[in-house]
């Protein structure tokens, strides 16, 4: 019996030992990772530390976007109760420093089972330090108030280049623009703060914390220049107001030789720091829509709000969209540059080519009119493009033929996206070569069939004047890590050579002649060689003939003999239902204004001809205190006339004052006695020619300063006055009058 009992006991012991051993083996070996993770989950608590995104700079190192370290303030009611901390004192401290509601904090603390409650996000360093100081001084909140590092994206220039830079989501992910395209480079590697807790889940001493530091993202250097970007945006916004533009405007400045984007802007942008904030106009639209829906009394209140939310989403998308790459348009006469370049390359046209325009042409029973009523008559090649004659370019397109035209259309990049390093670039809509009949070829030849992006147009145009090379545009030059190492560069990428250098040289000469024609176009700037072409296209797929709207554009480059910068401006639906809407009148002045401001900055300096030098404005010299004879001599030396008022022996005052600009031959009013200035009323010279406006202003006792590239063009008329008609001003005051010429419209 004893033996049997021992055997049973021994067997039971072996079985029990084996069971215990197998469980220990399973726990310690087979499932060690599982139980280790479970133990860590019970014993460790952690917070993620977000890495700072890399900084975005312009080409000169000016900050466009940066991330700063901020903190999230977290309160633990559980730890307050467990540590018998002073909840009221803690809530009072947080309420005063963070400017949050004290009663709300007290209510949060009433739940002792609540482990963590976020009190405030994005607290700056000053506030962070103040909380820690009071915690240390008063000995409160040591284990119950946590400050966890976070990151916040800021944009120092607010709305500058907003559609180009883009912004980030609340989770620090790039949305739109460079922020989105280069998100993988800009994103850093998040860190973590790990804390050891006791058996009751309480945080233990700080010495048991483990910190895994975040690694910040790489820094991006864009090719844009904030100075040029400012010039472009400022002048685009001006034209929006002047011409009541309905569908925004966009502009691009690019280095034609490298494809580097120097500036790219879309009007009606937004503040990058508050991307969801709509413009006042859009907010008004939302409110009017809401009131109309309420008045209709068809939808419920909930459904009305859904409709408003949908409209708001549409307005956001439009506001954030980069018009230069995401919207298509008919290029109009700017595209004639491409047709002409192809014809020159194929030897289908040359300087000796002649055309005849009777005012229209019939192609396959379809009448196509020239914009010039009655036609242009006989034209040579340069006259054909200067006058932007549609029948002449229909002839040129016909000489090329549908097959060769399509070959060049494709070679210039119009059948695919440019490949720019930005998200949202759209595909063009174009006539397939196999479907291109005589009418489609005719309308395509002057830019009224295929829809392309602004970026495609300027890239192809650049190939016409840079030696014939189609380059890939880009907005980022290099990416650098936090150690200063270059991790990526965007070198000049040539896709192919479309034209010979000889043809490119011809195009530069021809397009400079277009700007200089008839004494100067609206883009002409004295002393500078500029080449360019305007365009005005109909939005034939959006509006009926009765309500037709237009897109005005102008593309120019400088210096014409050695292009360093090329610029395209597109104004979508200027002056809806009225005039002017022509590219030469609406878009060309923007290009001219930006060029005037940026040339010296880009170290492009004027080279005046003798004729230009003689016609230059003069600066009124300082003659205060001089005798009438000396004053007259000094002013005459500058090519200026004098008009004395009073019988004194010394000059007391002049109008215009010293340092102001006045036209050569202008009259300076010189006061020899103390008295109030004699005034005159500014006459209305709008619509007058240069001679007519000059005579009317001089007759009023005032001076005129001529402005605009077309001042020497016999067809130019006054379109803008620096001081409005009817204003009382001192005699001798200079009135700046801008003259423009309507030299092209595509019908």
């Amino acid at each position: 019996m004893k033996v049997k009992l021992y055997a049973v006991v021994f067997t039971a012991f072996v079985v029990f030992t084996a069971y215990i051993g197998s469980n220990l083996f399973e726990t310690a070996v087979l499932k060690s990772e599982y139980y280790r993770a479970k133990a860590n989950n019970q014993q460790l608590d952690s917070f993620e530390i977000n890495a700072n995104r890399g900084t975005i700079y312009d080409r000169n190192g000016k900050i466009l976007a940066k991330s700063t370290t901020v903190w999230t303030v977290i309160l633990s009611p559980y730890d307050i109760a467990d540590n018998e901390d002073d909840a009221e004192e803690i809530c009072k401290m947080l309420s005063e420093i963070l400017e949050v509601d004290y009663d709300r904090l007290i209510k949060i603390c009433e739940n002792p089972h609540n482990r963590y409650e976020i009190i405030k996000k994005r607290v700056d360093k000053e506030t962070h330090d103040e909380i820690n100081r009071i915690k240390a001084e008063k000995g409160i909140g040591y284990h119950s108030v946590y400050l966890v590092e976070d990151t916040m994206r800021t944009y120092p220039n607010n709305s500058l280049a907003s559609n180009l830079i883009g912004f980030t989501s609340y989770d620090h992910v790039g949305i739109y623009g460079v922020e989105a395209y280069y998100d993988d480079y800009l994103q850093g590697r998040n860190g973590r703060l790990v804390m050891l807790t006791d058996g009751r889940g309480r945080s233990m001493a700080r010495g048991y914390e483990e910190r895994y530091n975040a690694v910040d993202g790489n820094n991006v250097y864009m090719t844009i220049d904030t100075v040029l970007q400012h010039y472009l945006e400022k002048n685009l916004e001006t034209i929006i107001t002047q011409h009541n533009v309905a569908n925004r405007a966009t502009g691009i400045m690019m280095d034609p030789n490298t494809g580097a984007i120097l500036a790219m802007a879309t009007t009606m942008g937004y503040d990058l720091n508050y991307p969801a904030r709509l413009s006042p106009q859009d907010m008004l639209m939302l409110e009017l829509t809401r009131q109309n829906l309420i008045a209709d009394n068809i939808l419920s209140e909930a459904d009305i709000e859904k409709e408003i939310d949908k409209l708001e989403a549409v307005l956001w998308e439009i506001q954030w969209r980069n018009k230069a790459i995401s919207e298509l348009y008919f290029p109009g006469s700017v595209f004639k540059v491409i047709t002409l370049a192809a014809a020159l390359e194929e030897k289908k046209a040359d300087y000796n080519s002649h055309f005849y325009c009777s005012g229209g042409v019939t192609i396959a029973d379809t009448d196509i009119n020239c914009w010039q009523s009655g036609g242009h008559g006989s034209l040579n090649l340069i006259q054909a493009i200067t006058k932007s004659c549609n029948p002449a370019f229909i002839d040129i397109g016909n000489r090329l033929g549908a097959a060769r035209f399509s070959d060049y259309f494709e070679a210039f990049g119009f059948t695919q996206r440019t490949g720019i390093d930005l998200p949202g670039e759209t595909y063009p809509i174009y006539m397939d070569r196999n479907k291109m009949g005589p009418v489609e070829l005719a309308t395509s030849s002057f830019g009224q069939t295929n829809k392309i992006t602004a970026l495609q147009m300027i890239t192809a145009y650049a190939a016409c004047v840079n030696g014939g090379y189609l380059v890939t545009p880009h907005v980022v030059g290099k990416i650098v890590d936090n150690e200063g190492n270059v991790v990526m560069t965007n070198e000049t990428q040539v896709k192919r050579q479309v034209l010979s250098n000889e043809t490119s040289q011809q195009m530069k000469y021809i397009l400079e002649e277009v700007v200089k024609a008839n004494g100067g176009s609206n883009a002409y700037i004295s002393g500078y060689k500029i080449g360019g072409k305007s365009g005005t296209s109909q939005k034939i797929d959006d509006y009926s003939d009765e309500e037709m709207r237009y897109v005005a554009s102008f593309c120019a480059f400088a210096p014409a003999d050695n292009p360093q910068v090329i610029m395209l401006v597109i104004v979508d639906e200027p002056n809806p239902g009225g005039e002017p809407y022509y590219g030469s009148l609406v878009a060309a002045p923007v290009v001219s204004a930006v060029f005037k401001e940026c040339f010296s900055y880009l170290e492009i300096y004027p080279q005046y001809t003798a004729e230009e030098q003689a016609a230059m404005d003069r600066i009124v010299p300082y003659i205060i205190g001089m005798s009438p004879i000396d004053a007259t001599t000094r002013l005459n030396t500058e090519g200026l006339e004098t008009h004395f008022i009073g019988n004194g022996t010394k000059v007391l005052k002049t109008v215009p004052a010293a340092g102001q600009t006045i036209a050569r031959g202008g009259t300076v009013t010189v006061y020899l006695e103390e008295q109030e200035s004699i005034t005159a009323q500014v006459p209305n010279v709008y619509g007058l020619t240069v001679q007519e406006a000059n005579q009317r202003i001089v007759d009023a006792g005032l001076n005129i300063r001529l402005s605009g590239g077309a001042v020497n063009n016999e067809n130019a008329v006054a379109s803008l006055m620096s001081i409005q008609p009817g204003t009382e001003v001192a005699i001798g005051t200079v009135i700046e009058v801008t003259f423009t010429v309507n030299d092209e419209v595509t019908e």
Side-chain angles (χ1 to χ4, degrees):
M1 289 294 296
K2 285 185 178 182
V3 173
K4 290 181 179 180
L5 180 61
Y6 289 151
V8 170
V9 171
F10 178 76
T11 301
F13 177 76
V14 170
V15 170
F16 179 75
T17 302
Y19 174 77
I20 295 298
S22 65
N23 276 277
L24 288 173
F25 180 77
E26 180 181 29
T27 300
V29 180
L30 298 180
K31 294 186 177 181
S32 61
E33 291 301 322
Y34 169 78
Y35 287 108
R36 185 178 292 112
K38 200 162 188 176
N40 287 340
N41 189 51
Q42 292 176 343
Q43 299 168 9
L44 300 176
D45 206 349
S46 66
F47 296 104
E48 189 171 57
I49 302 173
N50 288 316
N52 283 326
R53 287 175 69 84
T55 301
I56 300 177
Y57 299 93
D58 82 341
R59 67 190 298 118
N60 299 314
K62 185 171 183 178
I63 294 175
L64 301 174
K66 65 178 181 178
S67 290
T68 55
T69 300
V70 292
W71 286 264
T72 299
V73 180
I74 297 175
L75 180 63
S76 174
Y78 178 89
D79 286 337
I80 289 177
D82 196 64
N83 291 298
E84 297 181 354
D85 217 337
D86 191 336
E88 292 184 358
E89 192 69 22
I90 291 174
C91 291
K92 181 181 178 182
M93 172 191 70
L94 294 178
S95 175
E96 292 176 351
I97 297 176
L98 301 177
E99 298 181 350
V100 295
D101 185 62
Y102 171 80
D103 293 333
R104 182 176 77 87
L105 297 178
I106 288 294
K107 188 171 183 179
I108 290 173
C109 291
E110 290 175 355
N111 180 12
H113 300 292
N114 187 355
R115 293 294 304 276
Y116 303 112
E117 185 78 25
I118 294 176
I119 304 304
K120 192 169 186 178
K121 292 185 175 184
R122 297 186 173 182
V123 168
D124 60 24
K125 189 176 189 305
E126 183 180 353
T127 305
H128 162 273
D129 293 346
E130 180 67 7
I131 291 175
N132 279 338
R133 184 185 66 80
I134 295 178
K135 285 170 62 178
E137 285 182 359
K138 297 187 176 183
I140 58 173
Y142 192 73
H143 291 296
S144 54
V145 178
Y146 302 96
L147 294 162
V148 180
E149 288 179 37
D150 197 358
T151 183
M152 182 175 69
R153 199 66 162 168
T154 59
Y155 302 88
N157 300 294
N158 301 318
S159 62
L160 188 77
S162 57
N163 300 96
L164 191 57
I165 297 172
F167 55 96
T168 60
S169 69
Y170 199 80
D171 296 325
H172 313 296
V173 176
I175 300 176
Y176 288 89
V178 170
E179 290 276 31
Y181 193 90
Y182 287 98
D183 189 63
D184 289 343
Y185 286 98
L186 290 164
Q187 286 274 13
R189 188 174 67 248
N190 290 343
R192 187 165 289 276
L193 176 64
V194 181
M195 298 173 292
L196 188 63
T197 59
D198 62 17
R200 297 174 64 182
R202 297 176 299 182
S203 299
M204 297 178 69
R206 295 269 176 187
Y208 289 89
E209 288 182 356
E210 188 70 31
R211 180 187 180 88
Y212 300 93
N213 289 324
V215 178
D216 292 344
N218 298 305
N219 301 314
V220 170
Y221 286 81
M222 295 183 66
T223 59
I224 69 167
D225 188 309
T226 53
V227 174
L228 302 180
Q229 184 74 25
H230 168 70
Y231 291 152
L232 178 58
E233 291 189 11
K234 178 185 69 174
N235 286 286
L236 282 175
E237 290 296 340
T238 298
I239 215 69
I240 287 291
T241 303
Q242 287 180 351
H243 291 290
N244 189 29
V245 178
N247 197 29
R248 304 193 297 169
T250 188
I252 306 171
M253 294 181 71
M254 185 173 78
D255 183 331
N257 303 299
T258 66
I261 301 297
L262 305 176
M264 180 184 286
T266 299
T267 56
M268 306 296 288
Y270 58 97
D271 190 333
L272 288 165
N273 295 296
Y274 307 98
R277 181 183 294 171
L278 292 172
S279 68
Q281 299 94 317
D282 287 343
M283 292 299 294
L284 178 61
M285 181 188 297
L286 283 176
E287 184 57 31
L288 291 175
T289 302
R290 179 184 281 108
Q291 295 302 322
N292 290 335
L293 291 174
I294 292 173
D296 290 340
N297 198 26
I298 297 174
L299 301 177
S300 66
E301 185 176 339
D303 288 337
I304 288 175
E305 290 308 312
K306 287 181 181 178
E307 291 301 313
I308 294 300
D309 289 343
K310 290 179 183 177
L311 176 57
E312 187 176 44
V314 170
L315 294 175
W316 277 334
E317 196 277 329
I318 294 173
Q319 176 175 276
W320 299 334
R321 188 193 307 157
N322 187 341
K323 188 178 181 71
I325 68 171
S326 298
E327 294 184 15
L328 301 175
Y329 81 112
F330 294 110
S333 291
V334 172
F335 188 85
K336 291 173 180 174
V337 171
I338 307 302
T339 304
L340 178 58
L344 290 175
E345 183 71 13
E346 289 295 306
K347 310 300 182 186
K348 300 298 183 180
D350 56 34
Y351 293 141
N352 296 317
S353 297
H354 282 82
F355 311 91
Y356 184 80
C357 172
S358 61
V361 62
T362 301
I363 305 292
D365 298 326
T366 299
D367 294 331
I368 302 176
N369 296 323
C370 184
W371 69 270
Q372 177 67 54
S373 178
H376 293 104
S378 180
L379 300 165
N380 61 32
L381 184 71
I382 293 180
Q383 288 173 331
I385 190 167
T386 298
K387 296 180 182 294
S388 201
C389 178
N390 289 348
F393 274 85
I394 291 173
D395 187 350
I396 294 173
N398 187 56
R399 296 182 189 189
L400 277 169
R404 293 305 287 157
F405 178 89
S406 297
D407 289 342
Y408 278 93
F409 188 84
E410 182 177 345
F412 273 109
F414 291 116
T415 61
Q416 59 184 6
R417 295 183 293 188
T418 66
I420 192 173
D421 49 342
L422 285 173
E425 184 179 13
T426 192
Y427 281 98
I429 299 175
Y430 59 94
M431 179 61 61
D432 186 272
R433 65 169 62 225
N434 296 321
K435 298 179 180 179
M436 183 175 288
V439 175
E440 290 78 16
L441 174 60
T443 54
S444 293
S445 66
F446 57 83
Q448 197 62 60
T449 294
N450 305 295
K451 298 188 75 172
I452 59 175
T453 65
L455 186 63
Q456 283 181 303
M457 188 66 249
I458 193 173
T459 304
Y461 200 119
C464 292
V465 298
N466 69 3
Y469 300 97
L470 187 71
V471 296
T472 300
H474 57 278
V475 298
V476 168
K478 64 180 179 180
I479 298 177
V480 180
D481 66 18
N482 290 291
E483 302 299 323
N485 303 307
V486 177
V487 298
M488 193 278 286
T489 57
N490 275 329
E491 303 291 345
T492 301
Q493 182 181 345
V494 177
K495 291 181 178 178
R496 52 188 165 270
Q497 186 170 7
V498 185
L499 304 172
S500 65
N501 183 64
E502 178 186 1
T503 299
S504 182
Q505 293 294 332
Q506 289 178 316
M507 289 302 300
K508 288 188 288 187
Y509 169 76
I510 291 171
L511 292 171
E512 183 183 5
E513 290 299 307
V514 171
V515 172
K516 295 193 304 183
N518 304 317
S521 72
N522 298 330
Y524 177 80
I525 302 175
S526 178
Y528 293 94
K529 294 178 177 293
I530 298 171
K533 181 73 184 75
S534 61
T536 309
S537 59
Q538 296 176 335
K539 301 184 75 169
I540 55 178
D541 54 350
D542 293 332
Y543 298 97
S544 64
D545 291 340
E546 290 76 19
E547 58 174 352
M548 183 56 64
R549 297 192 182 187
Y550 301 86
V551 176
S553 61
F554 195 90
C555 192
F557 56 95
D561 53 354
N562 182 27
Q564 301 300 308
V565 59
I566 186 170
M567 180 177 175
L568 172 65
V569 165
I570 295 174
V571 184
D572 198 345
E573 298 185 23
N575 301 305
E579 293 188 12
Y581 51 76
Y582 315 123
S584 58
L585 286 175
V586 176
V590 180
V591 175
S592 180
V594 176
F595 273 177
K596 284 179 181 177
E597 291 190 286
C598 77
F599 276 160
S600 61
Y601 179 77
L602 291 172
E603 298 183 349
I604 300 174
Y605 300 111
Q607 295 179 334
Y608 297 104
T609 63
E611 185 180 42
E612 290 173 330
Q613 190 80 34
M616 288 179 62
D617 291 339
R618 298 297 188 260
I619 296 176
V620 177
Y622 185 81
I623 59 173
I624 304 299
M626 288 186 180
S627 68
I629 294 177
D630 290 342
T632 300
T633 302
R634 182 73 178 88
L635 291 172
N636 289 344
T637 301
E638 295 295 331
L640 301 174
E641 302 296 326
T642 56
H643 174 210
F644 289 106
I645 295 179
N647 298 310
T649 59
K650 290 185 178 181
V651 175
L652 301 180
K653 181 176 69 172
T654 65
V655 180
Q660 292 190 8
T661 303
I662 186 173
R664 179 183 176 87
T667 300
V668 177
T669 301
V670 181
Y671 287 84
L672 301 175
E673 294 178 354
E674 288 285 358
Q675 66 178 83
E676 292 291 328
S677 297
I678 300 174
T679 63
Q681 194 175 81
V682 177
N684 186 353
V685 299
Y686 283 109
L688 301 184
T689 66
V690 173
Q691 289 183 339
E692 292 169 340
N694 179 69
Q695 190 63 52
R696 186 169 294 185
I697 286 177
V698 169
D699 288 347
L702 305 172
N703 286 293
I704 187 172
R705 182 164 70 241
L706 306 178
S707 179
V711 293
N712 295 316
N713 192 312
E714 61 182 16
N715 297 316
V717 295
S719 60
L720 189 66
M721 297 176 63
S722 61
I723 301 177
Q724 290 306 303
T727 307
E728 287 287 336
V729 297
I731 61 171
T733 297
V734 177
I735 312 299
E736 182 175 359
V737 182
T738 301
F739 291 86
T740 54
V741 58
N742 176 20
D743 56 10
E744 185 274 333
V745 58
T746 300
E747 295 289 357

